[in-house]
Amino acid sequence: MRPGQENRSEEILPPGDDVVPAPLPVTEEPPFDRFCDLVLTGGVASGVVYPWAIVELARAYRFRNIGGTSVGAMAAALAAAAEYGRRTGYEAPFETLRRLPAALGKDVGDGRTRMLSLFQTNSRGKRLIELWRRLGCGQRQAEPSPFTKFWRRLCANRGKKADAGEPGFASRLLVELPRVYAAPCWLGALVGGALALLLCLGYDGLATTARIWVFLTLALLLAPIGALLALAWALWSDLKHGVIQNQLGLCKGGTLEPAGPDGKHRPGLSEWLHEGIQRSAGLKKTDPPLTFRDLWNAPAYPGAAPRRCGEDDPVSQRSINLQVITTNVTHGRPYRLPLADQTSRLFFKLEELTDYFPPSVLAALKDAAEPYAARLRSSNPKGGDREPPASTETADLWQLPGADLPVVVAARLSLSFPLLFSAVPLWAIDYEAPMGERTLRRCQFTDGGVSSNFPVHLFDAALPRWPTFGLWLDRRTPYDRRGKDGRVQDVWLPEYHWEGWADNWNRFDPAAAFPPEKDELQTHCKAAGYLAGFLGAVATSALDWRDRTSFRLPHVRNRVARLLLRPGEGGLNIGMSREQILRMAHCYGTRAGELFVSRFAGDKGRASQAWSEQRWVRLELLINSLRERLDCLSAAADWAAHTVPMTEAIKQAVHAPGPIKDWGDSNQISEEQKKSLDNLLRKLEHLETVLRDAEPQRFKPVPVPELRLRAPL
């Protein structure tokens, strides 16, 4: 047992066997050379399905590359920490993940679950978070609320079934708003009533009976107006102070609540995640936070020598490679953490992150950071891309570390669902300004899912050595597949490469928006629903089109498990009950992990059918992509219209200025470089001929992928 694994004070909770069959502890030792990669999508509360999927995969595979976005980044961080713990000899590295769903569903004593208690806000945001809880409490309880009973009676009276289901979001919002903001509403109503009384007393010539009727009439008119105005003002005040002035979100992630009546400390999201990462890695809470460098240098197995991998070494040399996605909305593009792009330096002010992370994490972050210093990014003598010099204005700016970045910081940067979580302020150099006016300006980082919710491409290779699995959080449709028992499948993983290419539909049926019936209310309601469905589909298309297009491809779709969530499960339903959290973890997480293992993990060192087919498909796609990319290469190289053929251009670059202006001492190429370029060009032209004349293969990809260059994240 390694130091730091004993004398732990964390509460040990049951894994949830009283509700569903919880996974057994991970005691299996996968072969040292059987790896897998894992990519997890975002989905806020839907992330409760990930822990048990990771546990099942850990029985058969060792994790090599792990990526995620939003809540997927949190699960990826815990998985990477657990793999680190396994590599370094910790006896129970996946136990935190195994007990996580039950821990999230634990009642903390004030009517909240542990998951809900992680969302801690300031005093002005408490009513908003309570409203969010009421609207996002998951599937309705067995005993319907009085409003639900009234809604069903109303539906029955209008000719619908008595069990017409739950009221919609808008209907529940209209009911829950005055319940949460009861005090302002009553105060506004009293003010309206008082105003009605003053107006009534102002008429001296009225009889007593008439005065009473005037008062009642004015009160019935002014009291609701006063209540609505007070509600609007209180709501705007909470939005201003609890969201807008709180970095555009309700929760920063830090621990804000004092100890409860029981004297127990309820950590905020960042502290809770930090403790989980440390515990999974076999580290004490007081130990330095787990960093990306720790993951990269982890031994291959317990007892092996640690690796030596730095920021300049190839990614393939990293022992455990964790990458997460965040979104810089100021720049309007995604960023991949840890930062590898030297053109994307980021900086932070320590005082701006105080409410985001525990003090120990902030101290480690500062120790790993360097103060801002200008760097010359090229040999351009005109200084067109130089950075502003250090000054008193940059004295409190520190550069965000790369390899030494604490894992919990990267996970929080990725998990910033707009309005629920505050954006994280970081700083970057404003290169749009002229050289003399350049300075560092603040950027806002929000949820990675805004720009890349399912980065399944993160670890793709032309011909993979081990599989990359993906988990996609989806919704049920009227045409979901059924198993042999006739029940709708909770998890669907295409069994063959020709399955899964069909599109996912956003089903807002225009024909149902304006029914032929003469009921005017139903017509208006369905028309409004049609408009809302269209706008929602537009937003979904803008956010997820890359992801939905990617997992239709033949080399992706049979390694992405679709988790078909029911209405009221996951998503923004942060107030789900313990029973529902555990059911989701079992039905979706355990099932997805078991499916991957049964399909891809072969017995006794033999390759499974799914893995053999995956590699074969990837080889065929590589050949097809190269053929498409190199088509007409020879003709383009020999093209002389308004240009110079490439062979002649290479020859001329030895004795004359080359085609690229480098602003250096010389922009010519050497004789050795010329010979190398000539040789490469001839081999590419030969490869074009070989690919063109090759015998066509039986495999026909549907749809046909394209080989394209893409910008780095």
Side-chain angles (χ1 to χ4, degrees):
M1 182 178 293
R2 287 172 35 226
Q5 296 175 11
E6 67 276 8
N7 299 326
R8 295 185 176 276
S9 60
E10 292 86 357
E11 181 182 7
I12 303 300
L13 297 173
D17 300 89
D18 56 320
V19 178
V20 294
L24 297 174
V26 179
T27 58
E28 295 84 352
E29 282 291 338
F32 291 152
D33 58 353
R34 183 193 279 168
F35 298 103
C36 78
D37 300 340
L38 183 63
V39 178
L40 305 173
T41 186
V44 193
S46 304
V48 298
V49 307
Y50 291 146
W52 287 1
I54 295 169
V55 164
E56 295 303 325
L57 283 172
R59 302 184 194 280
Y61 289 98
R62 298 180 184 274
F63 296 108
R64 185 64 176 270
N65 300 292
I66 313 170
T69 296
S70 189
V71 71
M74 289 180 55
L78 289 168
E83 182 63 29
Y84 174 85
R86 174 159 64 179
R87 303 277 190 92
T88 53
Y90 181 27
E91 293 180 353
F94 292 94
E95 194 63 12
T96 295
L97 282 163
R98 189 176 82 93
R99 297 178 182 271
L100 189 58
L104 288 172
K106 179 181 181 296
D107 188 348
V108 296
D110 54 2
R112 296 182 298 172
T113 61
R114 173 67 56 78
M115 181 167 70
L116 188 59
S117 72
L118 300 177
F119 299 88
Q120 298 184 11
T121 184
N122 60 25
S123 59
R124 298 305 298 270
K126 291 187 180 298
R127 287 186 296 202
L128 290 174
I129 204 71
E130 172 62 16
L131 178 63
W132 199 306
R133 182 193 71 81
R134 290 171 178 265
L135 296 176
C137 57
Q139 294 174 333
R140 304 273 80 80
Q141 304 299 319
E143 177 63 25
S145 64
F147 177 61
T148 300
K149 295 178 180 179
F150 167 75
W151 177 268
R152 291 178 178 177
R153 286 197 300 270
L154 178 64
C155 292
N157 292 337
R158 302 193 68 83
K160 293 186 176 182
K161 295 180 180 180
D163 58 347
E166 297 295 331
F169 176 81
S171 303
R172 288 188 286 125
L173 180 63
L174 291 176
V175 172
E176 298 296 351
L177 259 178
R179 292 178 64 184
V180 174
Y181 285 86
C185 289
W186 281 112
L187 180 61
L190 288 175
V191 171
L195 181 60
L197 180 61
L198 291 175
L199 292 175
C200 182
L201 294 176
Y203 291 94
D204 297 331
L206 291 177
T208 302
T209 303
R211 193 182 301 275
I212 292 175
W213 280 108
V214 170
F215 167 72
L216 292 176
T217 302
L218 290 175
L220 290 175
L221 177 64
L222 295 179
I225 293 177
L228 287 175
L229 290 176
L231 172 62
W233 176 253
L235 187 60
W236 165 248
S237 180
D238 284 356
L239 285 171
K240 179 182 177 182
H241 298 284
V243 177
I244 299 175
Q245 295 181 356
N246 197 46
Q247 277 296 112
L248 301 171
L250 281 169
C251 312
K252 287 187 174 180
T255 301
L256 302 179
E257 296 181 3
D262 54 1
K264 293 184 178 180
H265 175 65
R266 296 184 179 88
L269 179 74
S270 296
E271 184 177 352
W272 171 84
L273 179 60
H274 170 59
E275 293 175 359
I277 290 173
Q278 296 293 95
R279 191 162 54 247
S280 298
L283 301 172
K284 288 183 178 180
K285 182 180 177 181
T286 55
D287 287 336
L290 184 72
T291 66
F292 285 90
R293 190 184 299 276
D294 294 331
L295 299 177
W296 299 353
N297 293 333
Y301 52 87
R307 294 201 179 188
R308 291 292 180 263
C309 182
E311 296 179 351
D312 297 328
D313 294 319
V315 174
S316 59
Q317 293 187 13
R318 298 174 182 175
S319 181
I320 304 171
N321 179 33
L322 171 66
Q323 298 183 13
V324 301
I325 304 296
T326 183
T327 301
N328 185 344
V329 291
T330 307
H331 289 171
R333 68 176 180 90
Y335 276 65
R336 178 165 50 180
L337 298 174
L339 290 172
D341 182 9
Q342 296 301 316
T343 65
S344 302
R345 298 175 70 197
L346 294 174
F347 308 88
F348 66 91
K349 289 186 177 181
L350 203 63
E351 63 272 14
E352 291 183 339
L353 302 182
T354 302
D355 293 335
Y356 288 84
F357 302 103
S360 60
V361 174
L362 289 176
L365 181 63
K366 183 180 179 181
D367 290 342
E370 297 178 355
Y372 171 78
R375 292 181 180 177
L376 183 64
R377 295 169 49 204
S378 80
S379 57
N380 185 350
K382 294 185 177 181
D385 57 355
R386 288 181 176 174
E387 299 175 345
S391 63
T392 55
E393 296 180 356
T394 64
D396 56 349
L397 285 171
W398 299 80
Q399 182 166 337
L400 194 71
D404 296 313
L405 179 70
V407 169
V408 65
V409 175
R412 173 60 185 88
L413 275 164
S414 182
L415 179 63
S416 298
F417 189 86
L419 300 184
L420 180 58
F421 288 104
S422 302
V424 182
L426 296 178
W427 294 69
I429 300 170
D430 185 0
Y431 286 105
E432 283 190 333
M435 181 56 201
E437 302 176 14
R438 283 182 189 165
T439 184
L440 282 88
R441 301 186 188 279
R442 193 169 65 171
C443 300
Q444 301 293 347
F445 280 77
T446 189
D447 198 276
V450 171
S451 53
S452 182
N453 200 36
F454 188 46
V456 71
H457 61 277
L458 273 179
F459 312 120
D460 273 353
L463 191 61
R465 290 182 288 174
W466 49 75
T468 298
F469 300 130
L471 293 171
W472 173 258
L473 300 171
D474 211 342
R475 293 291 175 185
R476 294 181 183 263
T477 74
Y479 309 107
D480 286 331
R481 290 167 173 78
R482 297 182 179 273
K484 296 180 181 179
D485 57 359
R487 299 178 59 185
V488 173
Q489 293 176 310
D490 295 318
V491 180
W492 182 59
L493 179 65
E495 189 170 357
Y496 304 102
H497 72 83
W498 61 78
E499 295 181 320
W501 58 265
D503 287 301
N504 291 90
W505 285 56
N506 293 312
R507 298 184 182 276
F508 54 96
D509 188 3
F514 305 102
E517 55 207 271
K518 297 181 179 180
D519 191 321
E520 194 67 19
L521 177 60
Q522 290 188 19
T523 301
H524 289 308
C525 290
K526 289 197 172 185
Y530 178 33
L531 176 61
F534 173 74
L535 295 177
V538 169
T540 300
S541 302
L543 293 175
D544 294 340
W545 71 268
R546 296 176 185 85
D547 306 329
R548 293 180 180 273
T549 302
S550 294
F551 67 65
R552 293 183 63 242
L553 298 176
H555 65 295
V556 175
R557 56 186 179 235
N558 73 329
R559 56 187 172 96
V560 175
R562 279 79 157 177
L563 280 55
L564 307 176
L565 306 184
R566 297 176 179 84
E569 290 183 332
L572 299 178
N573 296 295
I574 61 176
M576 294 186 298
S577 65
R578 177 176 182 269
E579 290 73 18
Q580 187 174 353
I581 291 173
L582 287 167
R583 283 200 306 270
M584 289 182 63
H586 173 68
C587 295
Y588 303 110
T590 300
R591 180 56 179 154
E594 291 175 343
L595 267 177
F596 281 132
V597 172
S598 63
R599 295 272 181 87
F600 284 86
D603 296 329
K604 298 179 181 179
R606 293 192 299 267
S608 66
Q609 173 64 33
W611 180 223
S612 298
E613 183 178 90
Q614 171 73 201
R615 282 170 55 85
W616 187 274
V617 168
R618 296 291 282 270
L619 175 62
E620 294 284 357
L621 292 180
L622 173 62
I623 294 172
N624 290 344
S625 298
L626 288 173
R627 180 185 290 116
E628 180 264 338
R629 196 65 175 170
L630 295 178
D631 187 38
C632 298
L633 173 70
S634 300
D638 294 337
W639 189 259
H642 312 289
T643 187
V644 178
M646 289 307 303
T647 53
E648 184 64 25
I650 294 172
K651 180 179 179 181
Q652 292 177 2
V654 177
H655 307 289
I660 297 178
K661 296 181 179 179
D662 191 29
W663 296 103
D665 297 334
S666 173
N667 54 2
Q668 298 175 345
I669 65 173
S670 66
E671 190 67 34
E672 290 74 17
Q673 290 171 328
K674 169 188 174 298
K675 292 179 180 178
S676 178
L677 281 175
D678 278 332
N679 186 40
L680 287 172
L681 183 58
R682 285 196 302 270
K683 289 185 176 180
L684 287 173
E685 291 175 341
H686 176 67
L687 180 58
E688 177 197 3
T689 303
V690 171
L691 291 171
R692 184 179 62 242
D693 299 339
E695 184 72 20
Q697 299 297 313
R698 292 182 59 184
F699 174 70
K700 304 295 182 184
V702 178
V704 179
E706 295 178 346
L707 182 63
R708 290 288 184 269
L709 297 177
R710 58 178 298 148
L713 302 183

